[in-house]
């Protein structure tokens, strides 16, 4: 009997063997890639667990399909369903043109308080890449998801609201550096102590749980000293005060240099790293975008604010093959609410062509499976996906960048992944039998 996932009193998910998991198929190419992904998920779960585990997929509405059926882009019922069932997955959604909701994705993140956008970035061998050594890129981005410019607090130039806000800035706050008063739009950038700390806390927890060497706080605190600079300061505070026995921070290192000299500070840092302490460091965002091209191996977990995280996630995805193969999740690690998603757009001009790469939503589903503790099924999918790519049986995005490849439709690509699952399972059984 299918049941809901629940949150236990211990702060951990209670996942039944037959969980009900809601999905939004998405707009544009969404229905095509979701259909393929669902088949891949179900097959992998069966191969991993036989008949002992199974997901019951429950559709919830959002986007164009929802608007046509209900007159609403994002019904309240959908948001309540996502809360009631805790874990869900979605395809790409159209942003409505005109008034109302600015972004369906942002609206869902804010309503469910999904404060962490988690984007693992890792290269699959054989995927075409614009960099020489994509295998050095292996990071997890923790992007703050509810604050910053994306909070949507802005006013258009010439409106009474913009004029009122401008007057307040000039007359009440003494602001003198508005270059074109009377002709400016305005946006507000809220960055809080609490919001910053819970994001950094999640990033540090992930690094420690997975035995990763570092967390890098990426910011523009050299210019925006109280917002982005606050993020950096509060991030270091979390590391020192809550994880002091497990971390060594660059601001500690700076203080040691001042107190005892650089040589002594460097020696203490080397010892901390040797003893297995997590290194928590920071980097200015523009320098970080340079360093991920020059020395990506220096970074493992990255914690950053909303706008920076948007740029950084896509830049890193480009290094490992593009957002067509980039998974993502939006998570509140306290409530357990999680929405896994394809990270690319709806690509409406390709809708109905059965030609696009479904890997983003497939890999997002792997993140979901890992989140609910079904890692064996996730591993079957990623191994089969790797085998499919290595055989150069790919969709048009990779086909155009490979030599000697075989072009597959979206559905054919999913079927090839499933065929490779069978070969992997067969080889595993053969090895098991030969060892008896």
């Amino acid at each position: 009997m299918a049941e809901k996932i629940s949150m236990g009193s211990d702060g951990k998910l209670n996942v039944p063997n037959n969980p009900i998991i809601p999905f939004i198929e998405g707009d544009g190419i969404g229905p095509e890639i979701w259909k393929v992904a669902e088949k891949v998920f179900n097959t992998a779960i069966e191969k991993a667990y036989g008949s002992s585990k199974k997901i019951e997929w429950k559709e919830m509405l959002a986007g164009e399909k929802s608007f046509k059926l209900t007159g609403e882009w994002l019904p309240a019922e959908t948001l309540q369903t996502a809360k009631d069932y805790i874990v869900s997955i979605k395809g790409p959604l159209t942003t409505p043109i005109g008034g109302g909701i600015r972004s369906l994705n942002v609206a869902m993140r804010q309503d469910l308080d999904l404060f962490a956008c988690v984007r693992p970035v890792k290269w699959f061998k054989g995927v075409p890449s614009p960099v020489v050594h994509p295998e050095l890129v292996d990071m997890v981005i923790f992007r703050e998801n509810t604050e910053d410019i994306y909070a949507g607090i802005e006013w258009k130039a010439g409106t009474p609201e913009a004029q009122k806000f401008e007057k307040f800035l000039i007359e009440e706050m003494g602001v003198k550096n508005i270059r074109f008063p009377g002709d400016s739009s305005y946006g507000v950038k809220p960055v809080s102590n609490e919001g910053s700390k819970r994001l950094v806390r999640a990033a540090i927890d992930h690094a420690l749980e997975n035995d990763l060497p570092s967390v890098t706080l990426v910011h523009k605190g050299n210019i925006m000293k109280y917002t982005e600079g606050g993020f950096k300061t509060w991030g270091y505070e979390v590391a020192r005060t809550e994880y002091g026995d497990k971390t060594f921070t660059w601001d500690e290192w700076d203080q040691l240099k001042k107190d005892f000299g650089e040589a002594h500070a460097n020696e203490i840092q080397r010892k901390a790293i040797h003893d297995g302490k997590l290194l928590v460091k920071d980097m200015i965002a523009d320098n970080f975008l340079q360093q991920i091209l020059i020395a990506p191996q220096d970074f493992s977990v990255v914690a950053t604010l909303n706008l920076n995280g948007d740029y950084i996630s896509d830049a890193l995805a480009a290094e490992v093959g593009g957002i067509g193969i980039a998974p993502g999740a939006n998570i509140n690690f306290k409530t357990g609410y999680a929405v896994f998603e394809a990270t690319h757009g709806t690509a409406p001009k390709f809708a109905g062509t059965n030609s696009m790469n479904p890997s983003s939503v497939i890999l997002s589903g792997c993140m979901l499976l890992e989140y609910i503790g079904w890692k064996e099924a996730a591993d079957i999918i990623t191994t089969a996906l790797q085998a499919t790519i290595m055989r150069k049986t790919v969709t048009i995005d990779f086909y155009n960048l490979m030599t000697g490849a075989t072009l597959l439709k979206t559905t054919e690509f999913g079927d090839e992944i499933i065929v490779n699952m069978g070969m992997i399972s067969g080889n595993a059984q053969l090895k098991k039998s030969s060892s008896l």
Side-chain angles (χ1 to χ4, degrees):
M1 178 179 175
E3 302 173 70
K4 293 180 181 179
I5 292 172
S6 61
M7 176 60 79
S9 57
D10 58 357
K12 296 181 179 179
L13 293 178
N14 294 322
V15 181
N17 285 337
N18 281 41
I20 303 167
I21 296 183
F23 71 93
I24 298 169
E25 63 179 13
D27 298 325
I29 63 171
E32 296 163 60
I33 62 173
W34 171 254
K35 184 178 180 181
V36 168
E38 183 181 344
K39 186 177 179 181
V40 168
F41 302 150
N42 292 341
T43 304
I45 292 166
E46 184 179 1
K47 288 190 177 297
Y49 311 113
S51 60
S52 65
K53 291 184 179 183
K54 183 180 180 181
I55 290 175
E56 180 174 311
W57 300 102
K58 174 184 175 65
E59 185 173 11
M60 55 184 184
L61 296 174
E64 291 179 349
K65 183 175 182 178
S66 175
F67 188 74
K68 289 175 182 176
L69 293 174
T70 70
E72 296 181 89
W73 289 95
L74 183 58
E77 181 184 353
T78 292
L79 293 171
Q80 191 58 51
T81 297
K83 292 175 183 177
D84 289 344
Y85 292 86
I86 299 183
V87 177
S88 57
I89 186 168
K90 56 177 282 296
L93 290 174
T94 298
T95 297
I97 297 172
I101 297 172
R102 294 170 183 266
S103 164
L104 298 176
N105 295 323
V106 172
M108 289 190 73
R109 293 167 191 167
Q110 291 184 347
D111 189 85
L112 276 69
D113 195 24
L114 304 172
F115 65 83
C117 178
V118 182
R119 292 275 297 270
V121 187
K122 186 175 182 178
W123 184 63
F124 280 81
K125 190 174 182 180
V127 171
S129 168
V131 297
V132 177
H133 291 292
E135 72 278 3
L136 299 179
V137 180
D138 189 359
M139 303 179 212
V140 182
I141 312 302
F142 279 73
R143 165 190 170 191
E144 203 293 318
N145 226 1
T146 63
E147 298 191 306
D148 200 1
I149 294 296
Y150 283 25
I153 308 169
E154 60 176 346
W155 302 281
K156 185 179 178 181
T159 62
E161 294 82 4
Q163 293 168 359
K164 183 177 181 180
F165 185 68
E166 183 178 278
K167 183 178 180 182
F168 170 75
L169 291 177
I170 294 170
E171 297 182 6
E172 300 293 327
M173 300 301 291
V175 173
K176 300 183 184 300
N177 55 347
I178 298 172
R179 182 60 60 89
F180 300 107
D183 192 33
S184 297
S185 294
Y186 292 95
V188 177
K189 180 185 176 76
V191 176
S192 69
N193 182 325
E194 181 178 352
S196 298
K197 284 185 173 178
R198 66 179 182 173
L199 187 279
V200 173
R201 193 176 293 122
I204 291 174
D205 284 341
H206 179 85
L208 292 172
E209 288 166 7
N210 293 277
D211 197 26
L212 299 172
S214 70
V215 171
T216 305
L217 310 174
V218 178
H219 61 91
K220 279 294 289 182
N222 56 328
I223 305 298
M224 293 169 274
K225 299 184 184 298
Y226 304 119
T227 51
E228 305 247 346
F231 176 81
K232 169 193 167 184
T233 299
W234 295 322
Y236 276 138
E237 283 181 12
V238 167
R240 286 196 314 273
T241 61
E242 299 181 27
Y243 302 88
D245 60 331
K246 300 174 183 176
T247 64
F248 181 83
T249 66
W250 269 13
D251 63 340
E252 290 179 75
W253 177 63
D254 283 338
Q255 190 59 50
L256 286 168
K257 283 198 295 183
K258 293 174 186 175
D259 294 343
F260 304 107
E262 187 167 347
H264 184 66
N266 288 342
E267 181 57 33
I268 292 175
Q269 178 175 262
R270 280 193 293 271
K271 184 178 186 307
I273 294 171
H274 180 268
D275 291 344
K277 285 196 170 186
L278 175 69
L279 178 62
V280 180
K281 53 187 177 176
D282 76 277
M283 187 165 288
I284 303 299
D286 42 353
N287 185 29
F288 179 78
L289 287 168
Q290 174 179 254
Q291 293 304 315
I292 59 175
L293 290 171
I294 296 171
Q297 69 275 11
D298 291 345
F299 308 99
S300 51
V301 178
V302 177
T304 190
L305 288 167
N306 211 336
L307 183 62
N308 291 334
D310 200 356
Y311 298 152
I312 287 166
S313 296
D314 283 7
L316 280 168
E319 292 189 37
V320 296
I323 57 174
I325 198 169
N330 303 284
I331 303 173
N332 183 315
F333 288 95
K334 189 171 181 64
T335 63
Y337 294 156
V339 179
F340 298 82
E341 64 178 354
T343 59
H344 52 72
T346 59
K349 68 179 180 179
F350 295 107
T353 64
N354 191 25
S355 62
M356 294 291 99
N357 191 339
S359 295
S360 179
V361 72
I362 288 173
L363 290 171
S364 297
C366 290
M367 291 181 71
L368 183 156
L369 292 168
E370 290 179 352
Y371 187 69
I372 66 173
W374 294 11
K375 188 176 185 301
E376 298 85 357
D379 288 346
I380 286 173
I381 295 171
T382 53
T383 303
L385 177 61
Q386 175 66 87
T388 304
I389 293 167
M390 286 298 292
R391 293 174 187 275
K392 294 188 176 183
T393 47
V394 292
T395 49
I396 188 69
D397 53 336
F398 291 165
Y399 176 80
N400 286 337
L401 299 171
M402 289 179 169
T403 56
T406 300
L407 177 62
L408 299 181
K409 295 290 189 181
T410 307
T411 49
E412 293 170 338
F413 184 74
D415 290 341
E416 190 69 16
I417 293 172
I418 289 169
V419 167
N420 285 322
M421 283 185 202
M423 294 178 67
I424 292 161
S425 299
N427 289 339
Q429 278 298 121
L430 189 61
K431 287 181 181 178
K432 185 177 179 181
S433 299
S434 63
S435 65
L436 295 178

